[in-house]
């Protein structure tokens, strides 16, 4: 199993680690700052460096038994098993993912009660699919999102017993992806410091520490994807 350093600290850009398994298809480390593709958030890219070599990492995916697989760029020589490596991720790309990911939580907050049926995060643009009985205008969503971001609300995580889902099933906004169960605990992401959170839902992704870091957002378009289903595409404006 790989120690997921980004879970406790999403701002980490680099970490040293030991190579547990290595080959042209993937490299497993004992710990990592690289986020593996999941929940609509892309896998991180970057590099591994060790005494005698360096490998560019083109993608990161989940492996078996709670491991993280760092996928080397095509033709890159992987490090030897047992080597001490310094893993460094493409921080600007990841930070864009963190801003976007947090923005999609704000979009959920803006549209309470609307079930999320899909979503995809990208550094350039992101989208969320929602079932909306009443569809706000592009301008309404954009000004609402930017007001929530400018509020500079804290974004925090907490671990709770997974039985909270039985007593409070409304915590789950996503119909397409159910939070994993069976480990006994569940990671919640909370936005807002007040008694009533702005957003609170299970999530394993990486987020910025305060909504002010999201910056200015643009709503690109609202597409009709079914009777009540709408696809809302957003981008970072700066
Ligand atoms: Zn999230």
């Amino acid at each position: 199993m790989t120690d997921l350093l980004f879970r406790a600290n999403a701002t980490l850009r680099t970490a040293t680690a030991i190579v547990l398994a290595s080959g042209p298809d993937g490299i497993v480390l004992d710990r990592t700052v690289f986020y593996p593709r999941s929940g609509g958030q892309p896998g991180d890219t970057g590099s591994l460096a060790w005494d005698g070599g360096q490998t560019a990492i083109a993608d990161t995916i989940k492996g078996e038994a709670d491991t993280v697989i760092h996928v080397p760029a095509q033709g890159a020589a992987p490090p030897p098993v047992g080597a001490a490596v310094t893993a460094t991720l493409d921080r600007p790309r990841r930070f864009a993912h963190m801003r976007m990911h947090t923005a999609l939580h704000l979009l959920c907050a803006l549209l309470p009660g609307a079930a999320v049926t899909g979503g995809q995060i990208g550094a350039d643009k992101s989208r969320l699919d929602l079932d909306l009985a009443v569809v706000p205008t592009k301008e309404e969503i954009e000004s609402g999102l930017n007001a929530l971001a400018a509020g500079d609300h804290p974004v925090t995580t907490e671990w709770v017993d997974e039985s909270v889902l039985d007593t409070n099933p409304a915590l789950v906004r996503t119909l397409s992806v159910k939070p994993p169960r069976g480990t006994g605990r569940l990671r919640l992401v909370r936005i807002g410091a007040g008694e009533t959170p702005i957003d609170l839902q299970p999530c394993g992704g990486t987020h910025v520490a305060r909504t002010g870091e999201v910056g200015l957002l643009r709503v690109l378009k609202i597409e009709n994807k079914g009777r009540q289903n709408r696809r809302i595409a957003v981008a970072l404006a700066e």
Side-chain angles (χ1 to χ4, degrees):
M1 130 175 213
T2 308
D3 188 7
L4 310 176
L5 300 175
F6 54 82
R7 278 276 166 80
N9 185 358
T11 66
L12 286 175
R13 188 178 76 92
T14 183
T16 54
I18 301 295
V19 178
L20 299 181
S22 183
D25 295 334
I27 300 148
V28 177
L29 307 175
D30 64 339
R31 55 192 214 137
T32 191
V33 292
F34 282 62
Y35 181 82
R37 192 196 310 162
S38 57
Q41 184 175 333
D44 282 328
T45 56
S47 66
L48 304 181
W50 65 99
D51 194 13
Q54 179 161 342
T55 300
I57 300 300
D59 199 2
T60 307
I61 56 176
K62 282 183 172 178
E64 284 174 12
D66 287 332
T67 56
V68 169
I69 297 174
H70 306 76
V71 181
Q74 217 167 10
V81 172
V85 297
T86 300
T88 305
L89 54 84
D90 179 342
R91 171 71 184 161
R93 178 175 177 270
R94 155 69 93 70
F95 189 56
H97 293 161
M98 285 159 62
R99 292 170 67 193
M100 281 292 201
H101 192 139
T102 310
L104 295 189
H105 280 261
L106 296 180
L107 193 51
C108 281
L110 205 58
L111 303 165
V116 175
T117 57
Q120 183 61 48
I121 292 160
D124 297 323
K125 62 178 178 182
S126 301
R127 61 172 171 80
L128 206 59
D129 298 342
L130 300 118
D131 266 331
L132 289 173
V134 180
V135 184
T137 66
K138 229 171 81 168
E139 291 71 25
E140 283 168 338
I141 294 177
E142 190 168 286
S143 65
L145 279 178
N146 284 324
L148 284 173
D152 201 28
H153 305 287
V155 183
T156 54
T157 60
E158 58 209 73
W159 289 92
V160 297
D161 193 282
E162 69 179 12
S163 64
V164 73
L165 292 179
D166 302 325
T167 47
N168 193 356
L171 272 179
V172 180
R173 295 290 301 272
T174 49
L175 293 181
S176 48
V177 188
K178 293 284 176 226
R181 297 200 64 165
T183 62
R185 55 187 212 143
L186 183 73
R187 185 183 194 244
L188 295 181
V189 172
R190 176 187 296 269
I191 300 182
E195 188 113 327
T196 308
I198 290 163
D199 186 59
L200 179 66
Q201 56 178 304
C203 187
T206 60
H207 314 81
V208 292
R210 302 193 69 89
T211 62
E213 291 182 74
V214 171
L216 213 53
L217 293 162
R218 259 182 328 129
V219 175
L220 301 175
K221 58 179 171 181
I222 303 173
E223 272 181 285
N224 197 337
K225 288 284 168 184
R227 199 168 59 86
Q228 284 202 163
N229 209 242
R230 297 292 181 277
R231 172 167 293 178
I232 303 174
V234 299
L236 304 172
E238 49 193 12

